[in-house]
Amino acid sequence: MGVPIVLVHGLRLSGSMWRPQVELLEGQERRVVTPDLPGHGSRRGEAFSLGRAVDTVLEAIDGVGGRALLVGLSLGGFVSIAAAGAAPGRVAGLVAASCTAKPAQTLAQVYRIPSLLMDRLPDKGATINERFHRLTLRDGAAEAVLDGGLAVEAATAVIDAVAEMDALSALSAYPGPVWLINGARDHFRIHEKQFFDACVDGRLVNVPRAGHMVSLDQPVNFSRIVADAADVVGVRERRALPEGGEPRAVEADGS
């Protein structure tokens, strides 16, 4: 089955957004899990913090054997970068999509004011967000997103928490292979060169005809990138096995 894959969803969304990837990757007999972050999906109503989100990701990795390819998009990308920096021994490889922008600048400027305005609406902007996804996503992608619910009420708290993150420092603390994936039309590409330079072992991939939701705009292409990353990581993992084929022990701190 190769290295397990943990997929981490974006802001307001849930693990259901990964349905196209789950179908394609499980069709290749890969093990895939899609945890919901605090305040999202099955965990709506829980308080979000970056620390709790990282713990959720690490628990998901532990649930598939203690080491996995970690894939995150947007919010999930930032959380995955934080998890990889905090516990590199559990992350065999990192795919960070749609998140190559410094959170303190981009999240505060682009998302916080709209989120505060949405909070004033009776439904916290749920109707607007649903219409937006139905208009911009195609081929079943909107249903994949909406089936897990839209945690619009969590947005402001999440943005405030992630905006304090030093993403470049966390990325530079991770020594393993990194794939930075962006849709060619994504506004979150603005600092991609700085993110790439922060990687110890990085690759930068821009996907044509895709925007911020690159995994849904180009689901087959995105799934192929993830599958290729899993194969690369799997080969590295096998080469790293000591004589006898048993994996090396990982220290309790994850390093």
Side-chain angles (χ1 to χ4, degrees):
M1 293 181 67
V3 63
I5 302 170
V6 176
L7 303 171
V8 189
H9 64 80
L11 177 63
R12 303 185 184 95
L13 309 183
S14 72
S16 73
M17 68 160 280
W18 295 110
R19 185 177 299 156
Q21 281 67 49
V22 171
E23 292 176 352
L24 290 164
L25 295 170
E26 287 187 345
Q28 300 173 3
E29 299 186 349
R30 302 179 192 271
R31 188 175 184 187
V32 184
V33 295
T34 60
D36 287 342
L37 296 175
H40 297 75
S42 61
R43 302 179 64 180
R44 287 181 74 173
E46 294 184 27
F48 179 93
S49 73
L50 186 58
R52 288 175 182 168
V54 168
D55 287 344
T56 296
V57 168
L58 296 180
E59 288 167 6
I61 293 174
D62 290 343
V64 294
R67 194 161 164 83
L69 175 69
L70 184 55
V71 181
L73 183 139
S74 192
L75 167 62
F78 289 123
V79 172
S80 296
I81 288 171
R90 298 183 194 174
V91 181
L94 172 64
V95 178
S98 305
C99 61
T100 52
K102 295 178 182 178
Q105 298 175 26
T106 310
L107 290 178
Q109 294 174 4
V110 177
Y111 284 105
R112 194 172 191 281
I113 291 176
S115 293
L116 289 172
L117 293 174
M118 292 288 184
D119 282 344
R120 298 179 181 180
L121 297 175
D123 64 351
K124 305 292 185 181
T127 301
I128 293 174
N129 276 276
E130 180 176 344
R131 287 177 179 171
F132 172 80
H133 288 302
R134 291 195 183 281
L135 285 171
T136 57
L137 299 175
R138 61 179 189 271
D139 298 333
E143 284 67 29
V145 166
L146 297 173
D147 281 355
L150 293 176
V152 291
E153 70 281 356
T156 301
V158 171
I159 290 165
D160 288 346
V162 177
E164 298 179 359
M165 173 186 174
D166 186 346
L168 294 179
S169 292
L171 192 57
S172 65
Y174 176 63
V178 177
W179 287 258
L180 300 174
I181 313 300
N182 288 319
R185 302 169 181 168
D186 187 9
H187 54 281
F188 260 53
R189 289 179 54 194
I190 57 174
H191 300 132
E192 63 182 16
K193 179 64 165 57
Q194 294 180 53
F195 275 70
F196 177 71
D197 289 342
C199 295
V200 176
D201 180 9
R203 302 140 190 82
L204 177 60
V205 181
N206 287 321
V207 180
R209 301 180 302 281
H212 187 62
M213 301 294 287
V214 57
S215 64
L216 295 169
D217 290 341
Q218 295 285 336
V220 174
N221 285 344
F222 188 87
S223 298
R224 285 173 178 163
I225 293 169
V226 173
D228 288 346
D231 289 342
V232 169
V233 168
V235 169
R236 291 191 178 196
E237 294 284 284
R238 289 191 291 274
R239 288 176 177 172
L241 289 176
E243 187 174 352
E246 293 297 325
R248 292 188 176 92
V250 176
E251 296 297 329
D253 64 358
S255 59

